[in-house]
Amino acid sequence: MSADEKPVGVAVLGLGNVGSEVVGIIEDSADDLTARIGAPLVLRGVGVRRVAADRGVPVELLTDNIEELVAREDVDIVVEVMGPVEPARKAILSALEHGKSVVTANKALLSVSTGELAQAAENAHVDLYFEAAVAGAIPVIRPLTQSLAGDVVQRVVGIVNGTTNYILSEMDSTGADYHSALADASALGYAEADPTADVEGYDAAAKAAILASIAFHTRVTADDVYREGITHITPDDFASARALSCTIKLLCICERVEVDGQQRVSARVYPALVPLSHPLAAVNGAFNAVVVEAEAAGRLMFYGQGAGGAPTASAVTGDLVMAARNRVLGSRGPRESKYAQLPVLPIGLASTRYYVSMNVADKPGVLASVAAEFAKREVSIAEVRQEGVVNEGGQRVGARIVVVTHRATDGALSETVAALEDLDVVQTVASVLRLEGTD
Amino acid sequence: MSADEKPVGVAVLGLGNVGSEVVGIIEDSADDLTARIGAPLVLRGVGVRRVAADRGVPVELLTDNIEELVAREDVDIVVEVMGPVEPARKAILSALEHGKSVVTANKALLSVSTGELAQAAENAHVDLYFEAAVAGAIPVIRPLTQSLAGDVVQRVVGIVNGTTNYILSEMDSTGADYHSALADASALGYAEADPTADVEGYDAAAKAAILASIAFHTRVTADDVYREGITHITPDDFASARALSCTIKLLCICERVEVDGQQRVSARVYPALVPLSHPLAAVNGAFNAVVVEAEAAGRLMFYGQGAGGAPTASAVTGDLVMAARNRVLGSRGPRESKYAQLPVLPIGLASTRYYVSMNVADKPGVLASVAAEFAKREVSIAEVRQEGVVNEGGQRVGARIVVVTHRATDGALSETVAALEDLDVVQTVASVLRLEGTD
């Protein structure tokens, strides 16, 4: 094993933040990478939409013919960091069919096409690595697929979207409303011009699909993930959270659940109350963290920067070095593991705790009527608080009831909320939030 | 790839806490492990000192002839969880020479013999895995060797010994002195009958050697690690720490340092002040955590249970599955990477910040004399506090000076302390502690 080995050829697709950082590392760390791989890593070309002299890469390395680039004989590994789903899908499939190993950070693609890509990699006997697709630089995929390969993962709960975590942290610490916190995030470059994928939870749901797939050896796609965004969260919700010693986080939750004697997978993304004593409550700003609970290992937590050019490039280059080393050694990394094929649990059967706040008529018997609706559907109440609502002049103008439940299914809770809304004594159900991280 | 494949034979050496858990997982999770490996995993034998019917494993699987067990034709992988350095070393070398892949949790052995074991694995073209040797169930080895394979690791700082962390957490939260906190740790099973390896930092130093080796692609042994234990830490030290908004942790620190234009490795273990705002300050009780700082990835943290039968068995079994999967696929995992061979920095050249507390004469000019000794050796003072020392009757009986320095070398600080001790106006230097986790 030495630098005299036949070089390993790399094609990078995409020259945005991440792509530029990856190209920079390949050049700046050439000696180190050669020593770690056992052969030199040579950049054969960079696939871009716009070939020009001002891209920071020698223009002769640039090409807009991606189909040709991924098929080149002297390319061994293709690094895809261009997104979105198409044309990335087509390029990756073509690369795999030409026998190239592939490294990708494309969570949107992976969460809809894992099976297809994994099968193509399998057919070609090459590697498909995607550590950067979830939580940027934080190693999560490798620990789940390798370090925990002998354990039984029960649960993966994470803050995997930096944009929404920045917005929620800002709302919590400054009392800002959603729109001004989003504006701050945009000004700082933490939110995109169209923030839909982040704030509506699509990005987190894609990561949930990937995490659930590898944690439970089951193919889970983005469509299998229940998803709610953060756009309806208000400063009042944060005030209520504080009263319960909680904060609010957009969580990605992947669980192994036994229902009627059968193991199932639940994957869901929604904003939830999290007790301040929970390790995820302290994860603020654009940081990400993932908590894994496994039978023998207990609770593990991984924390770091979940996005950004350099951190994502670190994860991509780690995969690139591993894929290159495998090429040199004639080895292969772990393949897709989907043997368990657990069915996905419908959200109605998922169970957690809930916080329900409602404005009610200020007269006797209201609490009894409200409590009866919970009882009818076997939703057990853990805490209840009734308080007067006063107007600006200090006059009592109504009452509010806040209920925190024990664990109940989403179905039972939804029915209860619908019934509460139909009660004459309930004016509005102001807020329903899930409470995670307690028993 | 299916369960019809030729089985992968396993020998487990040692049937203590970890060994029993590993054997239990191999049996209880047989179907899952088969699916993940692509072939059945079959326990061929367990090496023990005492063969008896009451060991929880069918007696016909037990043997005290370890030499014969590791050489058996139907054994592909040897799991060594018996410790200590010998006879483990001999057994592992013999297993490797017979072409078996090896999984070990033996940090004491690895920290003195990594090179020898890695070379033997290399000669035999087999795997040598040791995720469980550092921080139990927490994936640290694999993230460093694989996920960060394309990055430049600058620093690894960890709490990697649960016994001392339990003792220090107890001293901090209850005000207990070292001896009573140690007694509590023993009563709870967190400290061994002879706690020397833990409380004197030998265990943490072994882990520091392993972490420094893989983080910096350099062979570092336990002898290269500067080491101080926690037996001299007093409740007064914790009171001083609190006054500085710090706590005290036994840290394992591995750093890439540039001295005179040359990159070097510093590896050291000592109790240090850590600001309460630092993520490691919140790691309490028997938990472990490792913070990794890398050029592109930024700061990552890994947290979980660093010891105990089940968590350690999780890490061991993860390695076992990977080694078995490699056997089935004809692949190999990453090999030792030692190309950088950076020289080890002597402790005298390592630089950090310091806290120095001294009892002094209560008269004019003392502070000037003390400050002069720091200045002479170019140790810059960041904060200084002089206060009266009062006796139980409330009478002022002397004075105390507390100094917090900016970064200085250990050598300059040691000289300064020696000079202070020689000053007439200094009665005693009561405490010298390093301050880590600030700039």
Side-chain angles (χ1 to χ4, degrees):
Chain A
M1 183 170 105
S2 83
D4 304 335
E5 294 271 339
K6 187 172 156 290
V8 177
V10 183
V12 174
L13 310 184
L15 198 55
N17 275 345
V18 179
S20 303
E21 292 277 353
V22 170
V23 168
I25 293 174
I26 292 175
E27 282 164 7
D28 299 344
S29 300
D31 291 348
D32 277 317
L33 298 184
T34 298
R36 294 176 194 177
I37 291 165
L41 199 63
V42 178
L43 184 64
R44 302 295 189 195
V46 179
V48 292
R49 260 181 303 190
R50 185 176 63 84
V51 174
D54 64 349
R55 308 280 325 247
V57 169
V59 72
E60 62 275 15
L61 284 175
L62 299 179
T63 174
D64 57 5
N65 190 339
I66 287 180
E67 189 60 29
E68 190 179 271
L69 176 60
V70 303
R72 272 174 63 162
E73 279 236 345
D74 60 356
V75 166
D76 301 290
I77 303 173
V78 171
V79 173
E80 186 276 310
V81 285
M82 62 184 178
V85 171
E86 292 291 2
R89 180 178 157 278
K90 187 157 161 277
I92 292 177
L93 285 173
S94 173
L96 293 170
E97 280 157 17
H98 283 94
K100 319 304 184 189
S101 292
V102 169
V103 175
T104 175
N106 196 327
K107 55 242 167 194
L109 170 60
L110 287 164
S111 71
V112 294
S113 303
T114 334
E116 182 186 33
L117 303 184
Q119 191 57 53
E122 194 50 40
N123 295 345
H125 295 282
V126 295
D127 286 327
L128 172 67
Y129 281 121
F130 49 88
E131 182 65 72
V134 180
I138 313 171
V140 175
I141 305 295
R142 203 163 262 115
L144 280 170
T145 50
Q146 300 189 33
S147 306
L148 291 164
D151 209 331
V152 180
V153 176
Q154 305 287 13
R155 216 159 186 261
V156 181
V157 182
I159 294 172
V160 295
N161 180 273
T163 307
T164 49
N165 202 49
Y166 178 85
I167 293 171
L168 294 174
S169 299
E170 184 85 352
M171 289 177 74
D172 196 15
S173 62
T174 68
D177 69 6
Y178 166 73
H179 293 285
S180 66
L182 171 60
D184 282 357
S186 303
L188 288 164
Y190 290 144
E192 295 184 42
D194 175 359
T196 310
D198 293 317
V199 301
E200 294 294 358
Y202 290 101
D203 174 79
K207 292 164 180 169
I210 297 170
L211 289 172
S213 297
I214 59 174
F216 305 123
H217 304 271
T218 290
R219 275 187 191 163
V220 178
T221 69
D223 288 342
D224 298 321
V225 181
Y226 177 80
R227 178 196 51 74
E228 285 178 26
I230 64 161
T231 58
H232 63 283
I233 301 293
T234 65
D236 275 354
D237 289 328
F238 275 100
S240 304
R242 265 190 295 279
L244 295 164
S245 297
C246 287
T247 184
I248 299 173
K249 295 293 184 189
L250 182 70
L251 297 183
C252 141
I253 303 172
C254 309
E255 272 183 321
R256 181 191 294 274
V257 184
E258 194 169 307
V259 177
D260 299 335
Q262 199 197 13
Q263 300 254 317
R264 304 213 195 183
V265 168
S266 171
R268 43 197 211 265
V269 167
Y270 45 62
L273 299 174
V274 177
L276 294 176
S277 57
H278 192 280
L280 289 177
V283 176
N284 287 316
F287 280 82
N288 279 196
V290 176
V291 171
V292 177
E293 291 169 24
E295 212 168 85
R299 184 195 268 182
L300 304 170
M301 179 158 119
F302 306 87
Y303 173 88
Q305 295 185 59
T312 308
S314 171
V316 167
T317 326
D319 279 353
L320 172 58
V321 169
M322 294 312 298
R325 194 141 68 175
N326 288 341
R327 288 259 155 179
V328 172
L329 296 176
S331 288
R332 276 183 68 199
R335 300 180 287 181
E336 184 191 24
S337 177
K338 59 174 201 314
Y339 71 89
Q341 284 302 63
L342 303 178
V344 172
L345 189 75
I347 184 68
L349 294 180
S351 99
T352 186
R353 299 181 64 187
Y354 302 86
Y355 158 90
V356 182
S357 145
M358 59 208 111
N359 296 314
V360 298
D362 198 4
K363 61 183 186 186
V366 172
L367 183 57
S369 312
V370 164
E373 296 302 330
F374 283 88
K376 265 187 233 171
R377 291 158 190 93
E378 299 197 337
V379 179
S380 173
I381 292 175
E383 282 179 50
V384 66
R385 203 172 72 230
Q386 178 161 3
E387 61 196 14
V389 175
V390 293
N391 69 10
E392 285 168 14
Q395 268 184 307
R396 185 165 172 126
V397 294
R400 175 161 37 221
I401 293 178
V402 169
V403 171
V404 177
T405 75
H406 286 297
R407 290 187 84 84
T409 63
D410 216 277
L413 197 279
S414 300
E415 281 178 27
T416 306
V417 169
L420 290 171
E421 281 170 335
D422 282 347
L423 280 187
D424 283 346
V425 295
V426 172
Q427 288 147 5
T428 52
V429 174
S431 188
V432 179
L433 282 172
R434 293 168 183 88
L435 168 60
E436 298 283 345
T438 68
D439 285 328
Chain B
M1 183 172 105
S2 83
D4 304 334
E5 294 271 340
K6 188 171 155 291
V8 177
V10 182
V12 174
L13 309 184
L15 197 55
N17 275 345
V18 179
S20 303
E21 292 277 353
V22 170
V23 168
I25 292 174
I26 292 175
E27 282 164 8
D28 299 343
S29 301
D31 290 348
D32 277 316
L33 299 183
T34 298
R36 294 175 194 177
I37 291 164
L41 199 63
V42 178
L43 184 64
R44 301 295 189 195
V46 179
V48 291
R49 261 182 300 190
R50 185 176 63 84
V51 173
D54 64 350
R55 307 280 323 248
V57 169
V59 72
E60 62 275 15
L61 284 175
L62 300 179
T63 174
D64 58 5
N65 190 337
I66 287 179
E67 190 59 30
E68 190 179 88
L69 176 61
V70 303
R72 272 175 62 163
E73 280 235 345
D74 59 358
V75 166
D76 301 290
I77 303 172
V78 171
V79 173
E80 185 276 309
V81 285
M82 63 184 177
V85 172
E86 292 291 2
R89 180 179 156 276
K90 188 158 161 275
I92 291 177
L93 284 173
S94 172
L96 293 170
E97 281 157 17
H98 283 94
K100 320 302 185 189
S101 292
V102 169
V103 174
T104 175
N106 197 327
K107 55 242 167 194
L109 170 60
L110 286 165
S111 72
V112 295
S113 304
T114 334
E116 181 186 34
L117 303 183
Q119 193 56 54
E122 194 49 41
N123 295 344
H125 296 282
V126 295
D127 286 326
L128 172 67
Y129 280 121
F130 49 89
E131 182 65 72
V134 180
I138 312 171
V140 175
I141 306 295
R142 202 163 263 114
L144 280 170
T145 49
Q146 301 190 33
S147 306
L148 291 164
D151 208 331
V152 180
V153 176
Q154 304 288 13
R155 216 160 185 262
V156 181
V157 182
I159 294 173
V160 295
N161 180 272
T163 307
T164 49
N165 202 49
Y166 178 86
I167 293 170
L168 294 174
S169 299
E170 183 85 351
M171 290 177 74
D172 195 14
S173 62
T174 68
D177 69 7
Y178 167 73
H179 292 285
S180 65
L182 171 61
D184 282 357
S186 304
L188 287 165
Y190 290 143
E192 294 184 42
D194 176 359
T196 310
D198 293 317
V199 301
E200 295 294 357
Y202 290 101
D203 174 79
K207 293 164 179 169
I210 297 170
L211 288 172
S213 297
I214 59 174
F216 305 123
H217 305 271
T218 290
R219 274 187 192 163
V220 178
T221 68
D223 288 343
D224 298 321
V225 181
Y226 176 80
R227 179 195 51 74
E228 285 178 26
I230 64 161
T231 57
H232 63 282
I233 301 294
T234 65
D236 275 354
D237 290 327
F238 275 101
S240 305
R242 265 189 296 278
L244 295 164
S245 296
C246 287
T247 184
I248 300 173
K249 296 292 185 190
L250 181 71
L251 297 183
C252 143
I253 302 173
C254 308
E255 271 182 323
R256 181 192 295 273
V257 184
E258 194 169 305
V259 176
D260 299 335
Q262 199 197 13
Q263 299 254 317
R264 304 214 195 181
V265 168
S266 171
R268 44 198 212 265
V269 167
Y270 45 63
L273 299 174
V274 177
L276 293 177
S277 57
H278 192 280
L280 288 177
V283 177
N284 288 316
F287 279 82
N288 278 197
V290 177
V291 171
V292 177
E293 291 169 23
E295 213 168 85
R299 184 195 267 180
L300 303 170
M301 179 158 118
F302 306 86
Y303 172 89
Q305 294 185 60
T312 308
S314 171
V316 167
T317 326
D319 280 351
L320 172 58
V321 169
M322 294 312 298
R325 194 141 67 175
N326 288 342
R327 288 259 155 179
V328 171
L329 296 176
S331 289
R332 275 183 69 198
R335 300 180 286 181
E336 185 191 25
S337 176
K338 60 174 200 316
Y339 71 89
Q341 284 301 61
L342 303 179
V344 172
L345 188 76
I347 184 68
L349 294 179
S351 101
T352 186
R353 300 182 63 188
Y354 302 85
Y355 157 90
V356 181
S357 146
M358 59 209 111
N359 295 315
V360 297
D362 198 4
K363 60 182 185 186
V366 173
L367 184 56
S369 312
V370 164
E373 296 302 330
F374 282 88
K376 266 188 234 172
R377 291 158 191 92
E378 299 198 337
V379 179
S380 173
I381 292 175
E383 283 178 48
V384 66
R385 202 172 73 231
Q386 178 160 3
E387 62 194 14
V389 175
V390 294
N391 68 9
E392 286 167 14
Q395 268 184 307
R396 184 164 172 129
V397 294
R400 177 164 34 219
I401 293 178
V402 169
V403 171
V404 178
T405 75
H406 286 298
R407 290 187 84 85
T409 63
D410 217 277
L413 196 280
S414 299
E415 280 178 28
T416 306
V417 170
L420 290 170
E421 280 170 336
D422 282 349
L423 281 186
D424 283 346
V425 295
V426 172
Q427 287 148 7
T428 52
V429 175
S431 188
V432 179
L433 282 171
R434 293 169 183 89
L435 168 60
E436 297 284 345
T438 68
D439 285 327

